Amino acid sequence: MNSQILTGLVAALGLMANFALVGPASAQDGHAAHAADHGHHHADFESTRMHVRVDGEAGPGVRDIILIPGLSSSPEVWQGTVDHLGSGWRVHRIHIQGFAGAPAEGNAEGPVAAPVAEEIARYIAEQNLDHPVVVGHSMGGTIGMMLAARHPDAVGKLMVVDMVPFMGAMFGAPGTDPTAESVAPIADQIYAGMNAASDEQYQSMAAASVSGMVNTDAARAAILEDTASSDRRVSANAYRELLVTDLRPELARIKAPTEVLYIKFNVPGMTAEVTDMIYQGSFATLPGAELRRIDDSAHFIFLDQPEAFNARLDAFLAE
């Protein structure tokens, strides 16, 4: 039952980056070792929830942009976007503790997304970033919405990539109005199943999920590698948190111009028009938000349709 719920959710929503494959022991390298392995440096910012890779230098005319990856994803997924942005931007890539080789630290227990959003707000303040642009994919989109709603004066612009403000709404029976409380039992079921599954079961589910989340063959191996080096406890905690988090009542607090990019739900019988209606209803409490569907793409829009994604990002940044 739990396996069916997990794989069915992935197929129906196309919203989560991927699932963790292995237990906590696989993600025990420290920040310095991880940086050395990947050839980058981290911002001078102490946190047990995240660390930050910075590309570019501050200077006259240089703007700041924060890129937040999704569940179990590495900041490396944004490399194409960083390359496209080029000079004129200082890019801050968030690496959430417990994901893609980073030790779990403060994320080993309890919620993940909400505490990370608070840490990003602290990072913006301590690093003296002037209303940075924030772009979040999947779970990163949830974190971006939390940040912009709960710290509305900190964010300059917000782009949400393939995420709705309440994932749990997808579990409601037809004709019902699900709430965080009403979906908690199924969230608990999924959480238990993620923790109880064997490594072999997780590998099978992850392979099936990733195959439907990225159409670009060359990108799948890296996504699977991120998943394999993530901490199962952190992924399970974050996944449950996303299911029971309803941000719709908070969206009206967002002051920053907001754009949402999304794909048609990959469900038999689902149409682009119905998907559009779902997104319009989901973001109804955020007047002025631009909702734009990107066709011929899976969940990782910036990997499957980089030209279309970059065009929308450029236009949004220029507005």
Side-chain angles (χ1 to χ4, degrees):
M1 177 61 177
N2 288 321
S3 174
Q4 292 173 341
I5 291 173
L6 282 168
T7 55
L9 175 63
V10 172
L13 301 184
L15 292 173
M16 303 312 298
N18 35 67
F19 298 116
L21 300 182
V22 293
S26 69
Q28 296 302 317
D29 61 323
H31 292 185
H34 182 72
D37 289 344
H38 290 271
H40 62 260
H41 68 276
H42 295 140
D44 183 14
F45 179 73
E46 293 296 325
S47 174
T48 64
R49 296 287 186 172
M50 68 181 209
H51 55 280
V52 186
R53 172 177 176 173
V54 181
D55 299 273
E57 302 292 337
V62 175
R63 299 168 65 187
D64 290 294
I65 185 169
I66 298 173
L67 304 179
I68 314 173
L71 184 78
S72 300
S73 284
S74 160
E76 294 295 328
V77 299
W78 293 112
Q79 188 60 51
T81 304
V82 174
D83 293 341
H84 173 76
L85 287 168
S87 62
W89 290 94
R90 183 169 56 160
V91 184
H92 309 259
R93 286 190 257 182
I94 304 299
H95 194 157
I96 295 172
Q97 297 306 126
F99 292 168
E105 297 187 4
N107 291 333
E109 302 292 338
V112 178
V116 168
E118 292 304 307
E119 286 294 81
I120 296 176
R122 183 169 70 88
Y123 177 80
I124 292 171
E126 292 185 5
Q127 300 293 314
N128 296 311
L129 305 188
D130 183 14
H131 296 89
V133 176
V134 175
V135 181
H137 172 240
S138 194
M139 174 181 163
T142 296
I143 294 171
M145 286 184 274
M146 289 176 169
L147 173 65
R150 297 170 187 178
H151 301 272
D153 294 325
V155 176
K157 292 185 176 183
L158 172 66
M159 176 174 277
V160 177
V161 184
D162 212 34
M163 192 54 162
V164 291
F166 181 32
M167 279 185 62
M170 302 297 181
F171 288 100
T176 66
D177 185 15
T179 65
E181 292 74 19
S182 69
V183 302
I186 196 167
D188 290 339
Q189 262 191 304
I190 293 172
Y191 175 80
M194 292 181 76
N195 283 311
S198 68
D199 289 350
E200 183 178 358
Q201 289 172 321
Y202 259 85
Q203 290 182 16
S204 176
M205 285 188 289
S209 67
V210 168
S211 67
M213 290 183 177
V214 59
N215 293 335
T216 306
D217 293 338
R220 289 196 181 98
I223 296 170
L224 280 169
E225 182 180 351
D226 289 346
T227 299
S229 60
S230 292
D231 189 306
R232 183 187 299 198
R233 298 168 301 174
V234 181
S235 292
N237 289 339
Y239 196 82
R240 185 194 181 281
E241 178 189 9
L242 292 175
L243 291 181
V244 298
T245 297
D246 184 359
L247 294 176
R248 292 174 298 179
E250 299 186 48
L251 294 182
R253 302 177 193 166
I254 296 176
K255 296 180 180 179
T258 301
E259 182 160 322
V260 181
L261 303 182
Y262 62 95
I263 63 168
K264 180 180 76 67
F265 289 130
N266 186 23
V267 182
M270 177 63 71
T271 66
E273 291 74 21
V274 172
T275 301
D276 292 344
M277 291 175 60
I278 291 172
Y279 268 86
Q280 290 163 8
S282 295
F283 284 91
T285 55
L286 182 54
E290 292 286 337
L291 308 179
R292 298 184 182 274
R293 189 181 71 250
I294 304 294
D295 293 324
D296 301 317
S297 179
H299 184 47
F300 285 82
I301 298 173
F302 45 89
L303 298 180
D304 284 339
Q305 292 289 345
E307 291 186 5
F309 176 82
N310 290 336
R312 283 310 320 152
L313 180 61
D314 289 346
F316 183 58
L317 296 177
E319 290 173 355

